[in-house]
Amino acid sequence: MSWPSHGSNPQYLYKAMGLALPKEFIDFSANINPLGPPPSLKEKWVDFFREIHVYPDPFAIKLTNMISKAEQTERDTILIGNGGAELITLLGRMLARKRVLLVEPTFSEYEEVCRVNQCEIVYHQLIEPDFTLNLSDLRSSLVDVDALFLCNPNNPTGIHYPPSTMISIIEECEKRDCLVILDEAFFDFLIEYESVVPYINKFSNLIIIRSLTKMFAIPGIRLGYLVAQPAIVSELSKLQSHWSTNTIALLAGELCLQNEAFIKETQEYIDCERKRLFSFFYHNNYIASSSDVNFYLLQDPHLQDQFTLFEFLLHQGIIPRHTFNFPGLDGRWLRFAIKGHEENNQLMEVLAKWRNQHSSS
């Protein structure tokens, strides 16, 4: 079966399953802020419209300055992109025909981009259900590797690895002349986050990717940025198409970065809903990954793979993210976003229904 490679766009998933898309459904497959975009974005939308006749700033000076100030890093260490996906694509071009290590399970886009650019791909597999990451296990996989992709907090597990772990890996990779590409697309969902951006000045091999589409619920706009030493930013910018980030995205980004209260509200909301969901999972004999953010892996331990549960959920209008294209997971888990209170209630009702029907399995 040809599975969709990403969450969202559920019509393609139902088509792959040979099912009709129900009139009413809840899409748990996309990890977007359940509170939606900041209200200020809607308030300013008409103002944005007035700017669409103007070409976007190809250097994104205003947004770059805002990020530079917020992250306390120099402007020439920042590259604005048309979502994290474009930045990953640029990195793939820079790494063409190089040897790349992926720590699995992880975001499928890394492998897709590397394959397109004829990279040699090697894997380091984290062991479920804890998905522990440490340097002693990773060290043997780093032999003759040109670049390492790390996702932290990790997609699809939602697990956040501490800065001490990241620094030890970056130091080891520096000794081996190996780039570390650290994808922090979900960092702003962490209540207590210790930034590794300051280490850009210390390590020439560190590249950090950030997304603004997840926290601010603007995936239709596409906006992200990268932080690295100026030489790397300069090299990547030469691979980027002119005006790759549109005017609306730049204006939205400038506005979103001023919404600190919105970020805090989101973090607290997600934390409350996650605790409520995980309590339900525990009491109904489901296993969930130790997520710290707005999504998690889930499995019914009575099943060897989760396909029958997956199919049951789709019939109920509950759409999780399959894991058939996450190496090492191979369908043994399902990924769910944390949605709004009532939507999470409906998920728990359907999972309770499944458990009642299969309690003796």
Side-chain angles (χ1 to χ4, degrees):
M1 185 180 293
S2 179
W3 294 102
S5 59
H6 294 280
S8 193
N9 303 121
Q11 67 273 22
Y12 299 117
L13 175 61
Y14 275 82
K15 182 179 180 180
M17 290 285 289
L19 300 173
L21 182 69
K23 291 182 179 179
E24 295 185 5
F25 59 84
I26 305 174
D27 188 0
F28 286 87
S29 70
N31 306 325
I32 303 300
N33 190 335
L35 300 183
S40 57
L41 202 56
K42 185 176 181 180
E43 294 167 6
K44 290 287 186 179
W45 198 250
V46 173
D47 295 336
F48 292 174
F49 179 79
R50 297 192 184 104
E51 300 297 323
I52 64 173
H53 71 287
V54 179
Y55 277 93
D57 176 1
F59 305 106
I61 295 297
K62 189 173 180 180
L63 182 58
T64 299
N65 285 341
M66 292 180 69
I67 295 170
S68 171
K69 183 177 179 180
E71 297 296 334
Q72 297 183 328
T73 187
E74 297 300 318
R75 290 182 302 176
D76 59 1
T77 65
I78 298 166
L79 179 64
I80 306 297
N82 184 24
E86 186 203 18
L87 299 169
I88 294 168
T89 298
L90 297 179
L91 287 163
R93 292 174 186 168
M94 187 180 76
L95 295 170
R97 298 179 178 83
K98 300 288 188 178
R99 182 176 168 89
V100 176
L101 175 62
L102 305 181
V103 176
E104 298 285 359
T106 197
F107 185 41
S108 60
E109 193 82 19
Y110 311 146
E111 180 166 356
E112 292 172 14
V113 164
C114 289
R115 289 205 178 281
V116 166
N117 289 282
Q118 301 178 312
C119 295
E120 179 187 354
I121 302 171
V122 292
Y123 305 92
H124 176 82
Q125 189 67 48
L126 302 181
I127 305 302
E128 57 188 83
D130 297 327
F131 302 101
T132 302
L133 172 65
N134 58 62
L135 178 57
S136 59
D137 292 337
L138 187 63
R139 188 174 277 114
S140 61
S141 299
L142 288 170
V143 176
D144 297 327
V145 167
D146 297 297
L148 163 66
F149 276 90
L150 276 177
C151 188
N152 190 39
N154 186 42
N155 180 5
T157 65
I159 295 172
H160 174 240
Y161 301 104
S164 58
T165 299
M166 293 298 105
I167 299 308
S168 65
I169 292 172
I170 295 165
E171 287 176 338
E172 181 67 22
C173 287
E174 185 183 44
K175 296 174 186 175
R176 299 169 181 264
D177 196 24
C178 172
L179 291 172
V180 177
I181 300 164
L182 184 57
D183 187 348
E184 293 192 327
F186 298 95
F187 84 99
D188 41 6
F189 287 92
L190 296 166
I191 291 178
E192 293 184 5
Y193 167 75
E194 184 179 338
S195 178
V196 295
V197 170
Y199 290 96
I200 288 292
N201 297 319
K202 182 178 180 181
F203 298 110
S204 61
N205 64 323
L206 176 59
I207 301 170
I208 300 170
I209 301 172
R210 297 275 183 81
S211 171
L212 277 76
T213 63
K214 310 298 192 301
M215 169 56 72
F216 300 109
I218 53 171
I221 291 180
R222 314 303 306 141
L223 185 63
Y225 64 93
L226 175 149
V227 189
Q229 288 204 352
I232 293 175
V233 169
S234 177
E235 183 177 356
L236 290 170
S237 66
K238 293 173 184 176
L239 301 172
Q240 190 175 39
S241 63
H242 209 54
W243 297 311
S244 74
T245 309
N246 67 73
T247 297
I248 302 298
L250 294 176
L251 291 171
E254 293 163 15
L255 187 62
C256 287
L257 288 179
Q258 301 173 48
N259 277 270
E260 293 184 12
F262 177 79
I263 294 173
K264 182 172 175 48
E265 178 188 3
T266 297
Q267 292 171 344
E268 292 174 350
Y269 186 90
I270 292 293
D271 186 57
C272 181
E273 287 298 302
R274 185 175 56 244
K275 288 175 179 175
R276 195 167 69 91
L277 284 161
F278 280 32
S279 176
F280 168 85
F281 299 150
Y282 176 79
H283 288 101
N284 287 271
N285 196 21
Y286 289 98
I287 298 175
S289 59
S290 300
S291 173
D292 298 302
V293 287
N294 60 319
F295 57 91
Y296 53 89
L297 290 179
L298 186 76
Q299 69 172 204
D300 180 347
H302 296 152
L303 303 173
Q304 283 194 327
D305 70 57
Q306 304 298 302
F307 185 82
T308 54
L309 173 57
F310 181 54
E311 190 174 35
F312 172 83
L313 291 168
L314 293 180
H315 280 290
Q316 300 293 317
I318 299 292
I319 305 173
R321 170 68 161 89
H322 71 84
T323 62
F324 294 105
N325 65 332
F326 285 102
L329 296 186
D330 306 314
R332 290 191 303 276
W333 298 79
L334 299 173
R335 193 192 70 189
F336 293 83
I338 295 177
K339 304 284 281 185
H341 186 86
E342 290 305 316
E343 294 165 312
N344 293 330
N345 282 347
Q346 291 184 54
L347 171 62
M348 288 187 283
E349 288 175 11
V350 172
L351 288 174
K353 181 179 179 181
W354 168 268
R355 177 56 71 234
N356 289 335
Q357 293 178 4
H358 297 82
S359 58
S360 60
S361 297

